[in-house]
Amino acid sequence: MTSPDDLPGERPALPTSGVRRGARLLGVPLQLAGRATVGAGRRLLGADADQVDAELRERAAAQLFRVLGELKGGAMKLGQALSLFESVLPDDVAEPFRQQLSRLQDAAPPMPTSRVEGVLADELGPRWRDRFTSFGRRPAAAASIGQVHRAVWADTGRPVAVKIQYPGAEAALRSDLAQIGRLSTVVAPLAGGVDVKALTDEISQRVMEEVDYLIEADHQARAAAAFADDPQVAVPHVLAATRRVLVSEWLDGRPLRTVAHDPEPERNRVGLAYVTALFAGPGRAGLLHGDPHPGNFLVLPDGRLGVIDWGLAARLPDGLPHQMGHLIRVALDGDADTVAAGLRELGFVTRDVSPQALLDYLEPFVEPARAEEFHFTRDWIRGQYQRISLDNRGPDPVATKLNVPPLYALIHRVWLGGVAVLSQLDVRARFADVLTQHLPGFAGPVARHDT
């Protein structure tokens, strides 16, 4: 293989300086504010108000997510996480943001070929080319801290995915996590009721783990063994790994988000496989895939759902907590007192709260498990978030009395994110059957507190 020159259209290495990255992130609010001022002037001069507002939203979306995508690192992680909740935005706000949000789910500007080869030489040795019979010059996919190239593994002659970390990714992440809390105040009005501050805090706590591809390789190998020969779910096997390079089997497939345009039976089938993959992982592999955005899931030609990117995962050697399934089962029976007492024991409730108000607040978690077959729609999830937003603005909001214990932090994010994706795809599925099979405590006998 020859060493090609840098391909046209490639970006230089991502900036790692805290000052430079902070300036890019914190420049977004100023530019959005400037556009709002211009828009106000145009309205005063007689321009159509709705048209001006629509143009402002479109330009604001392009600016915000262009900066997030180019910076990659923690900035792009924030954009990807927000893209899960696009379905909760009001229609008049969501449309101009939808395309920009989707682009961040599995795309980013590539790094130069010379830098790709430099990382491969550092990690696999100067004769790294001998390990491949061919190596794609352009990335097949690019994400927050690395990009993926398609190649052919010399030992087997089979196609592989070579995930290569951006030089300086770790320093960039640390810089972003120091700045991203300020940006959350700008994004919050676009998030339709999502608690962006809590989301960014959780990202800050977990995302640094993803820098070490040896950790990801261990997660993925465990999951691949657990789902081997599964008729619904496929996880690619790991062939080689270092801290900054991961080589695994190539999965051909189309992104999960494209299922939204499929006929209803296919949407329902794939949606059920998606939620099964999320809930079955802890019991079968001792791992919960921690990043449920659609870019990490592929619909394979044989109908299975491919699950990739295992960098962020919760280690649950005993499976999902039994108490969680038990309390959801109790909530289905409407026993507000027992639910409140159980959540208080687990550390979810930090102050006095009305048991019935708490039960009502938990409805997005409970309602899909109540029906034999539940229809996840944008209207449903939007209504749930609007109701929660109204409660948060009330005189005695439930949210201020709640806490998510560390054990449940990633579980909480995956549950909400998974429900959001199912709503984006317009899936009708037997959700309760998945809980019965994979959530300990949900199908067992119900024990109640003496209240």
Side-chain angles (χ1 to χ4, degrees):
M1 296 174 61
T2 59
S3 177
D5 295 330
D6 290 352
L7 297 171
E10 292 175 330
R11 305 275 180 174
L14 68 164
T16 58
S17 161
V19 174
R20 292 173 61 197
R21 294 181 67 82
R24 295 290 300 277
L25 284 171
L26 299 179
V28 172
L30 299 178
Q31 295 183 51
L32 298 185
R35 290 196 177 95
T37 302
V38 172
R42 288 180 58 192
R43 284 190 288 268
L44 288 174
L45 294 175
D48 181 77
D50 290 340
Q51 181 179 351
V52 171
D53 288 342
E55 291 176 0
L56 287 175
R57 284 194 291 269
E58 184 174 350
R59 293 177 182 177
Q63 168 67 15
L64 174 60
F65 295 106
R66 181 179 63 81
V67 170
L68 291 176
E70 289 180 352
L71 287 177
K72 305 185 178 79
M76 189 172 171
K77 280 291 178 188
L78 172 63
Q80 288 176 336
L82 287 172
S83 71
L84 288 174
F85 298 98
E86 166 267 327
S87 56
V88 309
L89 300 175
D91 283 333
D92 61 335
V93 175
E95 190 56 37
F97 286 87
R98 192 163 288 152
Q99 183 178 2
Q100 299 294 334
L101 284 163
S102 296
R103 289 180 60 190
L104 272 178
Q105 289 178 343
D106 57 0
M111 62 176 160
T113 304
S114 58
R115 294 187 180 273
V116 170
E117 296 187 343
V119 174
L120 290 169
D122 289 343
E123 298 295 310
L124 301 181
R127 297 179 61 86
W128 65 267
R129 292 179 180 83
D130 295 343
R131 308 186 74 169
F132 306 96
T133 57
S134 67
F135 192 93
R137 298 170 62 195
R138 285 195 176 277
S144 54
I145 62 173
Q147 63 188 39
V148 177
H149 290 252
R150 179 167 179 155
V152 175
W153 194 239
D155 288 350
T156 63
R158 300 182 62 181
V160 293
V162 185
K163 187 174 182 179
I164 305 166
Q165 189 174 119
Y166 302 124
E170 185 168 354
L173 276 176
R174 295 190 187 280
S175 171
D176 288 351
L177 297 179
Q179 301 285 352
I180 211 166
R182 303 181 194 180
L183 183 63
S184 67
T185 61
V186 181
V187 177
L190 313 177
V194 177
D195 188 345
V196 179
K197 179 62 167 62
L199 182 64
T200 55
D201 288 346
E202 192 269 330
I203 291 172
S204 297
Q205 294 170 11
R206 302 295 309 226
V207 77
M208 287 307 299
E209 227 177 64
E210 297 185 66
V211 176
D212 189 345
Y213 285 179
L214 290 172
I215 295 176
E216 179 174 350
D218 178 66
H219 292 166
Q220 186 171 321
R222 291 171 183 264
F227 285 99
D229 302 320
D230 188 277
Q232 285 186 289
V233 177
V235 178
H237 290 277
V238 174
L239 301 176
T242 71
R243 200 170 187 276
R244 295 195 296 160
V245 172
L246 175 62
V247 182
S248 57
E249 294 176 322
W250 179 269
L251 292 184
D252 269 317
R254 58 190 177 101
L256 176 63
R257 67 172 180 269
T258 63
V259 174
H261 307 294
D262 288 354
E264 181 180 359
E266 179 67 2
R267 295 200 312 270
N268 296 345
R269 185 192 68 78
V270 175
L272 187 62
Y274 168 76
V275 73
T276 299
L278 292 177
F279 278 91
R284 295 174 61 171
L287 291 170
L288 174 69
H289 192 292
D291 199 352
H293 80 77
N296 291 330
F297 299 84
L298 302 171
V299 182
L300 309 185
D302 63 8
R304 291 180 301 164
L305 188 71
V307 187
I308 58 177
D309 199 347
W310 287 84
L312 181 60
R315 300 174 189 87
L316 299 170
D318 298 321
L320 289 166
H322 180 277
Q323 301 95 320
M324 183 172 70
H326 168 70
L327 288 176
I328 292 174
R329 173 77 180 278
V330 173
L332 289 175
D333 293 342
D335 188 344
D337 291 326
T338 298
V339 170
L343 291 176
R344 187 173 292 108
E345 287 181 3
L346 294 175
F348 280 93
V349 179
T350 58
R351 294 166 51 192
D352 288 340
V353 62
S354 161
Q356 187 58 50
L358 177 60
L359 187 61
D360 293 342
Y361 190 85
L362 297 176
E363 189 66 8
F365 296 92
V366 177
E367 186 179 355
R370 184 176 291 122
E372 181 177 347
E373 189 175 67
F374 188 77
H375 191 188
F376 296 87
T377 67
R378 293 178 183 274
D379 288 341
W380 171 76
I381 197 171
R382 189 177 298 137
Q384 294 292 339
Y385 273 92
Q386 288 173 348
R387 181 175 58 80
I388 291 173
S389 296
L390 288 175
D391 176 85
N392 290 342
R393 293 195 293 267
D396 190 27
V398 173
T400 62
K401 304 173 182 179
L402 300 180
N403 171 59
V404 180
L407 173 63
Y408 290 88
L410 204 56
I411 298 173
H412 179 264
R413 174 186 171 185
V414 170
W415 191 303
L416 285 180
V419 167
V421 171
L422 292 173
S423 299
Q424 291 174 356
L425 299 180
D426 192 24
V427 169
R428 189 188 302 271
R430 298 178 68 90
F431 186 72
D433 288 354
V434 176
L435 299 186
T436 299
Q437 185 175 0
H438 299 293
L439 182 58
F442 182 76
V446 176
R448 305 183 186 282
H449 287 74
D450 185 9
T451 58

